[in-house]
Structures are given as C-alpha cells and as structure tokens.
Amino acid sequence: MIEIYVFLKPASVRSWLFLLLLSSMHKDNHLSARGISAAAKPSRMDLEIYQEAMDNRYHPDRNPDGAFPMNVAENHLCWEILQEKIQSITKTKNIPDWVSSYGDPIGVLSFREATARFLSKFLIHREISADTLAFSAGATSVIEMTTFLLADHGDIAVIPAPSYPVYTADIGVIPGVRRYDLQTHTEIDELKDGIPISIDQLEKAKKEIETMGSRFRMLILTSPDNPTGGIYSESQLSQLADWCIENEIHLIVNEIYGLSPININQPEIKSDYPDPIRFVSFGQLMVQRKNPYLHFWYSFSKDLGISGFRIGLLHSYNQDLINGYRNAGLSHSVSNYTQWVLQEVLEDLDFMEKYISTNQKALTESYVKVVSCLRELHIPFNPSYGSLFVWMDMSAFLSENSDHGQEQLWLEIFEKTGILLTPGNGFGHSKKGLFRMVISSLNHQALGVAMNRLKGFVLQKRNY
Ligand SMILES: Cc1ncc(COP(=O)(O)O)c(C=O)c1O
C-alpha cells in the first residue's frame, strides 16, 4: 500500500480515488473478523526465515557454507529406520477394508488398542484402556479440541514460562482461551533443581485472574518441557493435581517428549545432575486417581519423528470429555490409512523397543555434542532431562535488553553462522536473551559443523 502511495503521489484526484477504492477493497476482503485476524498473523514469527534456511541447507559437499535450520522441533535422527519399517508394511501387507470407510472419529478401536498397549509398555508403565484415548490430527489439534471442550471463551490457561509459543494459537484461535505465562523464575540456573513452580504462585495467579473477572480453568504443563528440557517430579505432580482438583481446575500434562529422554548418566554430563529427578509419567498418577480434572496429551510427532503423519492423542478418565471429543471431533480426525500404518508399526513391540532405544542414544549424542561446546564457551544452559532442545542464555551478547534486542541478536547469529535458533519471543518468559536450539534436526556430522560456527561467532563477539 505504501509503495502504491509513493508511486501515485504526484497524480491527479482520479488516482486518489483509485487508491481509496483499492484500500476499501483491501478492507472488504470477504473474510469474517476471525478470518481477518488469522490472515494477518502467522502462527510463529520465524516461519519465513525458516524457509530461507531450508532452501539453503548445509550439505558437506554440495553446500558446505549452507544454513542450519535448528528452530523447528523436528526429529530426523532415526527416520531411515522407521521409513524402512513402514515401507515393508505397505509393500507386504494387505490393506484392510475398514481403511476406506468412515471410522470412529476419535480413532478406530484396533488403533486405539495398539496405542494403549504402546503407551502402557513404554511410557506410562501402567495398563491403560483404549476407552480413555481420543485421537486427532497432531497434538496441535488435540490441544485445540481439549481446550474447546473444557473451557469457555474468555477463560484462562496458566502455563509456566517459558513455554511452547504455539499454545497461544492452539488454545486461542478457536476455543477463545487466553494464555497466562506464570513466571516461576528469572535466571536459567534457577531451573537446575527442577521447575520451581509453587502453590503460592498458583494461588496468586488465581487471585489476579479472578480480579480481572476471568476464570483460571486449565493448568498446562509440558514434561519434559519445551524449551527447557526440565521435568516435574512425581511429588510435584501429585501436589499440583491435589490443588487443581480442590480448585476445580483442569490439569493437563503434555508428554509429547516423554520417550525422548537424555541419558543423564553419560560421563560428559553426569555432574550437571547432582540431585537427579526421576521421570514418572503423569499417566501413573491418573491411573491411581481416575479424576475428571486430570488429563494427558501425547503425539507421535517428536519421539517417532513423524510430525507429518499428524497423529496426537488425549488420554483422560473423564468419559464426558471423551464422548464430547467423539461427537465434535470429526473434522479433526486422523485418516484411517494413517491409523492402519501406525497400528502395524506399534504392534511390533520388539521393533519399537529397538527404535526407541536407538533414538534415545542418538539424541543423547547430539545433546552431549551441543552442551560440551556451550560449556567450553561458558554459555549458560539448562541441563535437560529430555525433549529435542537445549535452552541457553546468550543475554551477554544483547545490544539492548528488550524483545527488539533479542530479535536483533537472533538475526545476527543467523547471518553470521547460518544457524537458525528460536528466539525467546513468544515463550512468555520475562528474561531476554534466551534461545532454543533444536538438537535433533541435523545429523551428528552437520551438528558438529554448526557448533564450530557458533564457537567462531562467540569468540569473535568476545574479541578473542
Ligand atoms: C509442547 C508441544 N506440544 C505440541 C506440539 C505440536 O505437535 P504436533 O506436531 O503433534 O501437532 C509441539 C511441537 O513442537 C510441542 O512442542
């Protein structure tokens, strides 16, 4: 619009009328108010630059000066293993007839059963039933559906900061629920003994929300966490569950990174965990309590590295919630063909066991590579228990302590190293200068080159 204005500046009144018409056409874009707002805002700020990095991806021979997209939470470490398995299934097995028909909107029974067995064996370590599961197209859609069914427009979901930026859109765009970023700490080293969330902080947030005339409806935790890699201890989860039940607040734990733990006994990193926290799935507590206020999210996008399959799930003992999901969830459901393929993979428990362990080894190798370099450079990071990330503090290099300063540093790192990180903007945390690095999007060779480039950047910044 501005360019057209400059171009038409010396023109006659007719040109002005043309301009007016153009701008009114722009306003009357045939969208609803919701559509206009959706069209105006991308779901995250780094998508455009991500495309640029992807188009110029590093390759040791073909593009040695290329870029390293390390901002989108994808796991490419073991795709070849899964690819071979899926290829053998689709080549050798007959496709069952049910694949071509409508199915249960929350997932066909045989797929829900296969997933229940998978989660019981590998993640929850307690038996769960297929009746407590509802599927839709990725955790994104599960988060949206669950929020839509549990909360009303204008309600508040409290999320300890920093946290996954896209929660804002998932709970906001359709369910109309707002995010409250609970500041549990300021400095990164306050995380080293666990995520310091307290009942006092929650009580204070509740009062504040109620004073604003809203309702604290949901508490969303991610464990292992995105971006910090922190986990909640069993006793923390139990205490938080008690408080939520007492206050009629829905507690949802997102364990989307539950099968992506870091092996904290690795000699290079063991000393970062002097008082280690044991990961216990929230699913265990849910089995004991079977309470309508407790829920669990999972997705195959991260642990299995198949974000493109779009399969996520809600696990809940709230039967009304599962019924609501079935009745309202058709537009979100997973294709039967996809369910069938994954069912075949999940039913081979020996294969899954080997896959999970290979993936965890590869992830730990990446993690050790990254944090060894950060340690050498004296860049503070949070010792991770799991997830695909390292959360690090580069605030020493900020030219100004603001969102703008953070964005400038993010762009400078990309320009000078080709490494595309995710800046803290959108994670809801008060401190500036923190960045998330995805450690699973590159193979180990490329990761080594990326870390060398980061080293060069940091040394140059410090004028060595
Ligand atoms: C915490 C968290 N929840 C949900 C998602 C979205 O997962 P999906 O690809 O299954 O929609 C992500 C992806 O990064 C995530 O980190």
Side-chain angles (χ1 to χ4, degrees):
M1 224 35 208
I2 288 163
E3 272 167 36
I4 295 170
Y5 170 74
V6 171
F7 179 61
L8 293 175
K9 214 173 170 185
S12 64
V13 174
R14 239 178 63 227
S15 302
W16 275 104
L17 283 174
F18 170 72
L19 185 64
L20 220 68
L21 180 72
L22 210 70
S23 84
S24 75
M25 271 167 64
H26 183 69
K27 266 190 209 128
D28 185 14
N29 48 12
H30 313 290
L31 299 184
S32 63
R34 289 180 302 236
I36 291 166
S37 140
K41 250 197 329 231
S43 63
R44 48 191 286 177
M45 64 179 283
D46 53 356
L47 286 185
E48 206 174 306
I49 195 159
Y50 173 65
Q51 203 45 55
E52 189 186 324
M54 286 299 279
D55 293 344
N56 178 32
R57 244 189 124 123
Y58 166 85
H59 185 277
D61 310 317
R62 288 195 301 273
N63 194 15
D65 297 326
F68 300 101
M70 301 173 82
N71 60 327
V72 172
E74 290 205 305
N75 175 5
H76 297 304
L77 296 174
C78 292
W79 164 236
E80 285 80 8
I81 303 173
L82 210 52
Q83 186 180 36
E84 195 183 315
K85 175 76 179 165
I86 291 168
Q87 245 156 21
S88 97
I89 290 165
T90 51
K91 270 188 198 151
T92 57
K93 302 228 170 184
N94 289 328
I95 303 172
D97 288 339
W98 58 261
V99 160
S100 66
S101 305
Y102 287 121
D104 188 332
I106 59 169
V108 297
L109 183 59
S110 57
F111 176 57
R112 282 187 287 125
E113 283 171 345
T115 307
R117 276 192 296 274
F118 168 83
L119 290 176
S120 303
K121 181 169 169 61
F122 295 111
L123 182 56
I124 297 180
H125 303 297
R126 294 286 182 280
E127 204 168 312
I128 62 160
S129 147
D131 298 339
T132 64
L133 301 182
F135 287 85
S136 42
T140 305
S141 126
V142 172
I143 295 164
E144 183 180 286
M145 274 297 293
T146 311
T147 310
F148 177 79
L149 293 166
L150 292 179
D152 287 310
H153 218 271
D155 280 346
I156 302 287
V158 172
I159 311 178
S163 194
Y164 178 52
V166 189
Y167 277 139
T168 313
D170 296 347
I171 64 171
V173 173
I174 291 176
V177 169
R178 280 176 301 137
R179 165 180 180 154
Y180 177 109
D181 293 298
L182 185 73
Q183 306 298 317
T184 64
H185 65 284
T186 311
E187 300 299 331
I188 202 165
D189 69 354
E190 292 172 65
L191 289 168
K192 69 179 187 314
D193 299 322
I195 299 163
I197 185 171
S198 70
I199 299 297
D200 279 355
Q201 290 166 356
L202 291 171
E203 293 280 8
K204 202 165 146 244
K206 187 165 178 286
K207 243 188 222 139
E208 200 183 308
I209 290 163
E210 285 168 357
T211 308
M212 289 178 329
S214 297
R215 181 169 66 151
F216 180 167
R217 187 59 171 160
M218 301 159 72
L219 173 63
I220 300 176
L221 310 178
T222 311
S223 186
D225 199 12
N226 173 1
T228 66
I231 54 173
Y232 294 87
S233 68
E234 192 176 6
S235 66
Q236 255 181 323
L237 289 175
S238 177
Q239 203 191 14
L240 293 169
D242 286 342
W243 186 81
C244 284
I245 293 168
E246 202 181 301
N247 288 282
E248 301 186 345
I249 289 168
H250 290 279
L251 170 59
I252 304 145
V253 182
N254 184 353
E255 291 190 9
I256 188 168
Y257 300 102
L259 293 173
S260 298
I262 299 299
N263 177 6
I264 62 168
N265 291 315
Q266 203 66 23
E268 299 93 326
I269 55 172
K270 199 171 188 312
S271 62
D272 287 340
Y273 309 86
D275 201 1
I277 303 166
R278 198 166 67 92
F279 177 80
V280 176
S281 170
F282 186 60
Q284 291 197 9
L285 201 135
M286 286 175 60
V287 171
Q288 287 161 19
R289 312 236 182 149
K290 296 199 170 59
N291 189 285
Y293 282 100
L294 307 181
H295 321 280
F296 168 107
W297 288 329
Y298 187 69
S299 152
F300 293 101
S301 297
K302 316 296 174 175
D303 294 339
L304 268 60
I306 49 170
S307 47
F309 276 51
R310 311 305 304 133
I311 314 173
L313 66 94
L314 161 75
H315 164 47
S316 175
Y317 290 94
N318 184 329
Q319 210 48 53
D320 285 339
L321 175 61
I322 299 288
N323 288 343
Y325 213 108
R326 176 175 275 121
N327 296 337
L330 185 59
S331 60
H332 291 249
S333 53
V334 181
S335 93
N336 282 359
Y337 184 77
T338 308
Q339 292 183 52
W340 169 66
V341 172
L342 194 62
Q343 177 185 316
E344 290 289 334
V345 176
L346 297 180
E347 278 172 348
D348 188 344
L349 294 172
D350 289 340
F351 169 82
M352 283 317 308
E353 186 146 17
K354 279 191 210 110
Y355 174 86
I356 290 168
S357 129
T358 310
N359 184 52
Q360 290 175 2
K361 278 196 195 105
L363 185 68
T364 299
E365 193 179 330
S366 299
Y367 177 79
V368 169
K369 225 181 238 307
V370 168
V371 300
S372 302
C373 175
L374 296 181
R375 202 189 317 279
E376 193 189 326
L377 295 170
H378 302 289
I379 293 178
F381 62 90
N382 184 46
S384 168
Y385 283 87
S387 79
L388 311 179
F389 317 109
V390 170
W391 181 238
M392 56 187 174
D393 183 351
M394 306 270 279
S395 56
F397 305 116
L398 286 176
S399 58
E400 76 177 54
N401 187 18
S402 64
D403 277 338
H404 176 70
Q406 183 167 263
E407 218 176 305
Q408 291 302 106
L409 179 58
W410 171 59
L411 292 173
E412 187 186 347
I413 296 171
F414 180 56
E415 267 163 34
K416 295 199 173 145
T417 65
I419 298 172
L420 187 58
L421 302 170
T422 318
N425 314 46
F427 285 92
H429 193 235
S430 54
K431 168 131 179 153
K432 308 297 167 206
L434 290 135
F435 292 85
R436 186 188 77 174
M437 175 182 274
V438 175
I439 60 171
S440 51
S441 57
L442 307 177
N443 65 34
H444 293 139
Q445 183 275 335
L447 187 62
V449 178
M451 293 317 291
N452 269 339
R453 286 211 205 149
L454 188 71
K455 196 168 163 180
F457 173 81
V458 168
L459 294 181
Q460 196 191 26
K461 280 293 239 191
R462 291 192 181 132
N463 292 325
Y464 282 124

